[in-house]
Amino acid sequence: MKIFIGTSSSYLIYKKVKNKTVIDINRTKNQGKLSKIIKILKAQNHDVFPWWDEGTLNGGEILIDNLIQVANKCDAGIFILRKDDILVNNKDGHEIGVPRDNVLIECGMYLGLKGKERTLVIKDGDYHTIKIASDLGGVLLKDIDDTDLESSLIKFFDNKKLNIESKKTKFYLSNTNTDNILNQEFKKWSSKALYIGSKSARLWEAFENEKDSEKTLLDKEEVKEFVEKIDKSTNITIDYTKINNVISLGPGCGKFDNEIVSKVFSKNNLLKYIPIDINPYYAYKASKYVKKKSPNIKIPFAIIEDFEENSEYVTDLLKNKIHDLKQSCLFLMIGGTFSNLEGDEENVIVKIKSWMDENSYLIVDVFIKPEDYTFAKDDKRQVKELMKSEFYNDFIINSIEKRHVINDEDYLKKVKNNLSTYLIGDEKSKVNTYTNVNLTSVVTYDLKINDSNNKEIFVVKRYDFKQIKKFLEEHFLILESFDGLNEGKQTQLKNGGLYKSERGIFLLQKK
């Protein structure tokens, strides 16, 4: 745990360096008292950040913005109150000692940000000779000289106790989304319908885990490298300590989110993660997966909603719980969610813009294609290749059954026994009903019902990088981008094949 220590300058010794007075960080008054506290905390494997250390507050220069950044970095705070100044009563001339006001300000900041469970106040001196705000009574520990100080500190900063609140997550279920499921409106859907129900979610998770792990790791590595590219960029600077929430739209099982969330959380351990998905199973699994790498991250709530179609509930929740608090957000739509949108991409982009403020960001990835792409030459996406996975085959069959696409039981059995014969991939020549991004390749996978009738089961879209970039530029500032086909590395796989990125990634900010 990272613990800030706030005291008055009365504890410090100053020295002259080149005619400038600076803190001598190697020497402090009452060093025995402070070093005792630091020694106890370090013995419990806590990281200690005394305010006077150069690495904590820029050499002791206390500015409010600097304090907020340090507070975002730390998990908890200790504040030592002593008789620093004398307060004289104008009426009777009575004198009483008071703590330095900046220590009280810092203490109040931590109480507001961390709560009293993570803010400890210790008094140094006779309690009755120090005037302390009555509001701090509930967070006072015994005197700094108490014999049981060590056991009290260990008990107060018990990681297991403090982590309890971070394990609680509320799930908000949209009535509209629930009604659509109960009324089986998903029968009219295409790709979205694949992800309805716990069985479909479990099958998809099994398929993800079964997929060539080497390729999956390389896909995740691309996202990680994109974050590193942002860090190294000389054109942009993202202050992760000022991002309050990561809001993921369609996180799946959270495997791609994890690469970005863990990065931001390492810079700001007050970060909150909020998954939004049409299926509660995915939101739950994403939360669990993210917590595996960042166990102390807070996931205050998850939203179960079809954000593509019915976003009123999302809007209300974000407005009430985030916008009113003026919290900055990093929105994520990665792992192929954008490429799975049904129809009007612009409609979704406009909604996301309405949820953002000028301090928020959006990272989105899309599947991209080479200029000479045709579905006929794309061996990886042919039906027989896709159905080599038993889990993927069952995933599609489950959706067909759930949507009651086939009423003839005998015919359904034939389809289940040999899906690749009845599922047909068709690259569309007219794509206006599927996308409003130019030069997008749209392939529908249709189930043959009879000789004259097919039913669309799902759609796969792949974008031209220049055109999707142009589309996004109409709505956002593009701070950084990654063209996997041209910038990505070609990797030799263990099975002898070659891996080449087919992903475009963008970091966006509201205009």
Side-chain angles (χ1 to χ4, degrees), residues 87-110:
L87 185 67
V88 180
N89 189 309
N90 289 332
K91 292 183 179 180
D92 58 15
H94 177 69
E95 296 182 353
I96 189 168
V98 294
R100 194 62 47 83
D101 51 6
N102 66 294
V103 183
L104 292 174
I105 291 172
E106 294 164 13
C107 181
M109 180 185 298
Y110 273 73

Side-chain angles (χ1 to χ4, degrees), residues 221-420:
E221 191 65 24
E222 280 184 349
V223 177
K224 185 177 180 180
E225 288 177 0
F226 181 69
V227 176
E228 291 173 356
K229 183 180 180 181
I230 294 171
D231 286 346
K232 294 175 183 176
S233 174
T234 57
N235 299 321
I236 56 171
T237 301
I238 295 183
D239 187 351
Y240 292 115
T241 64
K242 293 183 179 179
I243 294 177
N244 304 98
N245 313 283
V246 171
I247 300 174
S248 180
L249 304 168
C253 295
K255 293 184 178 181
F256 286 91
D257 285 3
N258 210 13
E259 299 302 321
I260 298 174
V261 173
S262 60
K263 172 70 175 181
V264 183
F265 187 66
S266 69
K267 303 290 185 180
N268 177 9
N269 53 32
L270 289 180
L271 184 73
K272 295 183 285 293
Y273 175 68
I274 301 170
I276 302 175
D277 204 282
I278 199 170
N279 191 323
Y281 185 92
Y282 286 124
Y284 168 76
K285 293 298 290 188
S287 300
K288 196 171 182 179
Y289 197 85
V290 165
K291 266 190 173 293
K292 187 175 182 180
K293 194 167 185 178
S294 307
N296 293 330
I297 194 169
K298 291 184 179 179
I299 307 179
F301 60 92
I303 303 175
I304 312 306
E305 172 68 291
D306 177 11
F307 63 84
E308 185 177 349
E309 186 175 342
N310 306 300
S311 60
E312 296 86 357
Y313 196 59
V314 177
T315 302
D316 288 344
L317 276 171
L318 296 186
K319 180 179 179 182
N320 293 333
K321 294 185 174 291
I322 291 173
H323 290 181
D324 286 354
L325 297 177
K326 306 298 182 185
Q327 295 184 356
S328 297
C329 302
L330 171 60
F331 289 85
L332 302 180
M333 188 185 284
I334 56 178
T337 301
F338 187 90
S339 297
N340 285 333
L341 294 175
E342 294 188 6
D344 191 352
E345 298 101 339
E346 187 161 10
N347 176 50
V348 176
I349 287 298
V350 169
K351 287 179 183 179
I352 297 173
K353 275 179 63 178
S354 72
W355 300 333
M356 299 170 67
D357 62 15
E358 64 277 5
N359 297 314
S360 295
Y361 303 93
L362 167 64
I363 294 179
V364 60
D365 73 354
V366 300
F367 297 131
I368 55 177
K369 64 182 182 70
E371 290 183 4
D372 60 348
Y373 176 83
T374 62
F375 175 65
K377 297 178 182 179
D378 190 348
D379 294 337
K380 291 183 294 185
R381 291 176 176 81
Q382 299 303 315
V383 173
K384 286 187 177 181
E385 186 66 24
L386 292 174
M387 298 311 153
K388 283 183 179 180
S389 165
E390 180 182 346
F391 290 118
Y392 193 79
N393 186 90
D394 291 347
F395 176 67
I396 302 299
I397 289 293
N398 176 68
S399 181
I400 291 171
E401 289 184 295
K402 188 178 288 291
R403 284 187 266 183
H404 302 289
V405 174
I406 301 173
N407 296 318
D408 186 326
E409 287 295 325
D410 291 334
Y411 190 70
L412 178 60
K413 287 179 182 180
K414 292 179 181 179
V415 170
K416 292 170 69 173
N417 290 332
N418 194 4
L419 179 59
S420 59

Side-chain angles (χ1 to χ4, degrees), residues 152-206:
S152 297
L153 285 171
I154 293 172
K155 183 178 179 180
F156 190 88
F157 293 108
D158 179 359
N159 279 296
K160 291 181 180 179
K161 180 193 75 174
L162 294 177
N163 285 340
I164 290 174
E165 64 173 285
S166 66
K167 295 179 181 178
K168 299 177 181 177
T169 303
K170 293 180 179 177
F171 280 75
Y172 291 98
L173 276 71
S174 159
N175 288 338
T176 303
N177 189 63
T178 304
D179 287 341
N180 282 340
I181 303 301
L182 293 175
N183 296 330
Q184 299 188 353
E185 292 292 324
F186 55 82
K187 290 182 180 181
K188 304 173 186 177
W189 300 345
S190 182
S191 298
K192 279 191 301 185
L194 295 174
Y195 303 95
I196 297 301
S198 59
K199 183 178 179 180
S200 66
R202 289 196 300 271
L203 287 169
W204 180 257
E205 183 184 13

Side-chain angles (χ1 to χ4, degrees), residues 56-80:
T56 302
L57 289 175
N58 293 339
E61 183 181 356
I62 302 180
L63 302 171
I64 192 67
D65 288 343
N66 202 348
L67 279 169
I68 292 172
Q69 290 182 21
V70 175
N72 285 336
K73 180 172 68 174
C74 292
D75 300 294
I78 294 177
F79 300 91
I80 302 173

